[in-house]
């Protein structure tokens, strides 16, 4: 029920890679995938928000910066195949084989780190989690 529920795997040695998972959203404020995590309050995230938006966000402790966003209507209790990729400072979001968001972090906050899942005030179900080198 709280903010910033994060579960990660991997190490700070991970650099250019993608993480793919089948995600099902239930009641939630936002949730999605985490990339280049350096702790549970320092990472990039690909967030599905309020059934109406997809955003790539940089979090550093209490600082939260939206790097890119796009309107995206999604439905509760529906499975989505989601890929979040990072190569250099280029971050890309793909949902069901459609690239929906591509942006660059000009601040280049994180160049390496683990990956995982995040949920804010709610529930996200994760199926078939995979990590691939870019």
């Amino acid at each position: 029920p709280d903010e910033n529920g994060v579960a990660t795997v991997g190490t700070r040695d991970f650099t250019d890679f993608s993480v793919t998972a089948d995600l099902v959203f239930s009641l939630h404020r936002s949730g999605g995938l985490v990339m280049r995590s350096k702790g549970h309050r320092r990472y990039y995230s690909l967030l599905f928000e309020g059934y109406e938006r997809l955003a790539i966000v940089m979090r550093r402790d209490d600082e939260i910066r939206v790097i890119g966003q796009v309107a995206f209507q999604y439905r509760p209790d529906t499975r989505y195949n989601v890929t979040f990729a990072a190569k250099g400072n280029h971050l890309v979001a793909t949902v069901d084989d459609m690239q929906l968001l591509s942006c660059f972090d000009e601040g280049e906050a994180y160049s390496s780190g683990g990956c995982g899942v995040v949920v804010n005030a709610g529930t996200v179900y994760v199926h078939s989690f995979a990590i691939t080198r870019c």
Side-chain angles (χ1 to χ4, degrees), residues 106-121:
E106 299 304 330
E108 299 184 46
Y110 303 117
S111 59
S112 66
C115 58
V117 179
V118 61
V119 65
N120 291 300

Side-chain angles (χ1 to χ4, degrees), residues 4 6 30-36 42-49 54-59 64-65 67-68 84 91 101 110 116-118 120:
N4 198 44
V6 177
S30 66
L33 298 175
V34 167
M35 172 73 68
R36 294 184 172 170
R42 292 179 177 225
Y43 53 77
Y44 292 116
S45 60
L46 170 61
L47 293 178
F48 289 71
E49 299 181 317
L54 192 63
I56 293 178
V57 174
M58 186 282 305
R59 179 175 184 135
I64 298 172
R65 178 171 45 94
I67 299 169
F84 188 21
L91 305 167
L101 194 51
Y110 303 117
V117 179
V118 61
N120 291 300

Side-chain angles (χ1 to χ4, degrees), residues 48 51-54 70-74 80 95 98 100:
F48 289 71
Y51 299 106
E52 60 189 32
R53 180 172 87 138
L54 192 63
V70 64
F72 179 66
Q73 300 290 319
Y74 62 103
Y80 294 93
V95 178
M98 294 186 322
L100 296 179

Side-chain angles (χ1 to χ4, degrees), residues 13 22 25 31 35 42 68 75 78 82-83 85 92 95 102 104 109:
D13 296 335
D22 287 340
F25 297 94
M35 172 73 68
R42 292 179 177 225
R75 292 173 296 197
T78 300
V82 181
T83 299
V92 178
V95 178
S102 174
F104 292 88

